[in-house]
Every structure is written in C-alpha cells, then in structure tokens.
Amino acid sequence: MKSWLLLPLFISISPQIRNVPEPVVQRPKNIILLIGDGMGLSQVSAGLYANGKKLNIDQFPVTGIMTTHAYRNLVTDSAAGATAFACGCKTKNGVIGLDSKMEKCFSILEDAEAHGLSTGLVASCSITHATPAAFIAHVESRTEHEAIAADILKTDVDLLIGGGLKYFKDRSNDSRNLLNELQDKGYTVSDYEGQPFPALTFSAAKPLVWFGAYEEPLSVTKGRDWLPQAAIKAPVFLKQRSDKGFFLMLEGSQIDWAGHANDANRVVKEMLDFDAVVGKILDFAKEDGQTLVIITADHETGGLALEQGHAHDSLDLTFSSTYHTASLVPVYAYGPGSESFSGVMDNTEIYWKMKALLGF
C-alpha cells in the first residue's frame, strides 16, 4: 500500500490521548486568546523584517508549533480551525461549533460563562465570521450569518466588537431586529456611525456591543484603526465585569484576506496591526499578573515565502497559493500556565489546555 493512502486515516483521528496538559504550579484567572488568521511563520517573519527586526511577539517567553488539519482534510478553513480551538474537537471544513458528527460542542467561551467568568469576542471582521462564530454559535455552515447572529442572542457574552451590523439589523430570513433584542437584554449597542470607537464609553455596568462596519470592516491599509484600541479597553472592561475572571478571544482577521489576495504590502500592514494588538494585551497582562496570553493562528494563508531582499528597506514576498496551506503555525504564550504551550501540539489541544488551566 502506498503511504499516501494512509493520510486520510491519520488526519481523521482526533488526538484525544494528548488532551491533558502536564501539571503546572500556577493557574491563570484570565485567558486572552489572540488569533492571527492566516498567520504562519512567514507572515511573522515578514512583519519582523519590515519593522526593523522587532515585534511585540518577541517578548513571549514560551513558543510552540501546531498542526492545523481539519477532519478528513489536510488543509483546514477558519471554521474548522476555530472550532478546534473553541471546542477541542476536529470537524469538517465550513462547520461552526459542531463536531464531525454534526453534534453541538460547547466552547471555551460557553464553559467560561457557565463558571461565572465574563467573556468577550473582538475581531477585525464581521462578528458572525467563522473564527468568532465558532466560540459562540452552532451551525452547519459558516455562511449562515443570520443564524449565527441569532445564536449569539442565546448567550450572555459580555462584549462583542466587530463588523456585521447587517445580520442583526436588516435580516432577510426573518423579521427579527436583533439590535432591539440586545437592548432588551440590557446591552449597550453602538456602531461606527453613531459612535466611532475613540468616542465609545466603556461602562462595566452593562454588557456592550459595538459594530465597526455594516458588513466587513475596512483593511488597515484603507483606514481601519480601532483594533489596537479595542485591545486596550476590552480586558479592562471584562475584568470589571466579573471578579471570577474572564475569557477574551481577539482576532486579527485580515492577515488571511491579504494572503488570499496575494497582497504583500497588506500582509505586512495587517501583521503589524495585529502585533500592535499583542503589545497592548501584553501591557495589560504584565500589570495584571493573573492573565495567560496565547497567540496562534487557525492556518497559514497564501504559501508565503520571503525571497532575496533588504530587511530594512524592502522585502521580496512571493506566494504559492491563493488559499490556505497545511503548514504548521506558531504558538506563543505569556503568563501563568504558559509553559503548557511549548513543543509540538494539535490545534484541538489549545482548548483542552485552556480548560484544564482554568480548572473547569
């Protein structure tokens, strides 16, 4: 039998035998999971050399490497990749918050809610997009934006920042106005037109939703500037919302989109915007002392390579694909429990390690 015939059998197996991390002395009170969508080692390298060989990521003392394959697919998409982080199980590409048998799997955000922690999702895409959706919704297709928005109303998430106003306000599948329903549940609801992010008031007395776009936010190359600001305000807000701790997922979504477009300049700009987020989160974690910060990616996008160039004035970036690749991606960790994230791991292990460290 040829060896390649064994590959589908291998990648269909969820590595449950590796779910439990080694015991650690310290446990975090809070976890912040930072996801650079499409961010492989080449994207990190491009940002590093474009920025004078210096990134905030450099300050993370623990590093690891991670496999990203989906259920029966060597190359994952963001839905299956994020479901692996969120729920700890492999699933089919395109599926949100369901396992490979299409059964509902509870996410780390839902676990945190059940244990009294405050929770938040921040993304530079629609809040109903694949990655944030996997932490809060359960649908068979990532394209079901309105169903994902409706699922959000079934939770008590404390903070939502991202695009996707359309799927709450101007729905085509039903007559519901989810903005009104959010307000009826006690949320402060605002958007980019009514209150630009710099003017947004964060009051911990009420949960908060802020929409940064009707559908998808602009690229940072077109003027989007609020993701690092959200990284400053979100953890402070969530810390005030519960004395038991918090879970926050924050995604730099458009590194991926730049890779799909094979736009080298945009890859670098989005990577540096995400690294600015890393810096703000790291500032919070250093001062707080009880926060574990994890950085990783759902997959690499574009098959990016760094060719000959001058690090301080130009980079020659080339692409081998307009889609995702199966390349391993980096993992970085800082704070209590960070030592659990060294070495080689599978993407499902991110969930199980977080869950164990929070003592759930």
Side-chain angles (χ1 to χ4, degrees):
M1 180 182 291
K2 293 183 178 180
S3 61
W4 63 267
L5 292 175
L6 298 176
L7 183 59
L9 297 176
F10 167 73
I11 65 175
S12 69
I13 298 173
S14 180
Q16 299 297 326
I17 60 172
R18 300 173 61 198
N19 283 340
V20 181
E22 294 181 4
V24 294
V25 175
Q26 290 183 298
R27 283 184 174 177
K29 183 176 182 180
N30 318 305
I31 291 182
I32 301 175
L33 176 61
L34 302 178
I35 299 175
D37 197 316
M39 184 191 75
L41 284 170
S42 293
Q43 285 77 5
V44 176
S45 301
L48 180 77
Y49 286 115
N51 200 48
K53 295 178 68 177
K54 185 178 181 180
L55 291 176
N56 291 305
I57 288 174
D58 299 346
Q59 300 178 58
F60 280 63
V62 176
T63 59
I65 203 83
M66 189 177 74
T67 56
T68 64
H69 59 271
Y71 179 76
R72 296 191 182 278
N73 272 283
L74 183 60
V75 177
T76 191
D77 77 335
S78 293
T83 297
F85 296 142
C87 300
C89 61
K90 295 291 186 182
T91 196
K92 301 172 185 177
N93 283 339
V95 173
I96 296 290
L98 304 173
D99 65 17
S100 60
K101 297 179 180 179
M102 298 296 99
E103 296 178 353
K104 183 176 180 179
C105 54
F106 287 93
S107 73
I108 190 68
L109 184 146
E110 292 168 315
D111 291 337
E113 279 189 359
H115 286 82
L117 280 67
S118 57
T119 57
L121 295 174
V122 178
S124 55
C125 62
S126 165
I127 206 66
T128 61
H129 213 274
T131 302
F135 288 84
I136 204 166
H138 307 274
V139 296
E140 293 189 8
S141 173
R142 59 182 290 173
T143 63
E144 298 177 54
H145 289 277
E146 292 187 9
I148 292 167
D151 269 5
I152 290 173
L153 268 292
K154 300 174 184 177
T155 73
D156 292 317
V157 62
D158 295 84
L159 178 67
L160 296 172
I161 297 174
L165 175 64
K166 170 184 178 180
Y167 308 113
F168 293 78
K169 180 181 179 182
D170 300 319
R171 296 166 60 82
S172 60
N173 292 335
D174 57 44
S175 60
R176 295 173 66 183
N177 185 322
L178 300 188
L179 298 184
N180 291 341
E181 293 185 32
L182 284 167
Q183 290 173 330
D184 290 343
K185 287 188 67 175
Y187 284 82
T188 298
V189 180
S190 191
D191 61 45
Y192 59 104
E193 291 181 327
Q195 196 171 30
F197 198 87
L200 186 63
T201 300
F202 276 69
S203 171
K206 299 176 67 176
L208 172 67
V209 179
W210 183 79
F211 291 102
Y214 184 69
E215 291 185 68
E216 299 299 339
L218 296 171
S219 166
V220 71
T221 62
K222 299 291 181 63
R224 190 196 74 241
D225 61 358
W226 47 260
L227 197 63
Q229 299 175 60
I232 296 171
K233 294 187 175 183
V236 175
F237 174 83
L238 292 175
K239 184 177 180 178
Q240 294 172 343
R241 289 281 299 169
S242 174
D243 59 6
K244 293 184 177 181
F246 67 81
F247 172 80
L248 169 65
M249 190 288 294
L250 192 153
E251 182 192 35
S253 316
Q254 297 195 34
I255 303 168
D256 172 65
W257 302 356
H260 282 297
N262 286 183
D263 186 334
N265 177 63
R266 186 179 174 190
V267 165
V268 170
K269 296 294 185 183
E270 293 289 350
M271 183 66 225
L272 293 179
D273 185 60
F274 181 65
D275 189 63
V277 166
V278 171
K280 303 303 183 186
I281 293 297
L282 190 57
D283 288 344
F284 172 86
K286 286 179 177 178
E287 182 177 349
D288 178 69
Q290 301 181 87
T291 299
L292 169 64
V293 184
I294 307 157
I295 307 171
T296 192
D298 45 2
H299 50 71
E300 191 276 342
T301 303
L304 180 65
L306 280 69
E307 303 289 354
Q308 290 289 344
H310 300 287
H312 299 294
D313 53 35
S314 67
L315 284 172
D316 185 4
L317 304 182
T318 62
F319 299 85
S320 62
S321 173
T322 57
Y323 193 59
H324 311 156
T325 71
S327 297
L328 276 69
V329 298
V331 180
Y332 306 91
Y334 172 91
S338 58
E339 55 267 47
S340 295
F341 295 87
S342 65
V344 181
M345 68 198 80
D346 185 72
N347 55 5
T348 54
E349 293 182 64
I350 299 293
Y351 167 83
W352 294 104
K353 290 174 187 289
M354 292 191 297
K355 185 169 182 175
L357 287 165
L358 289 171
F360 295 165

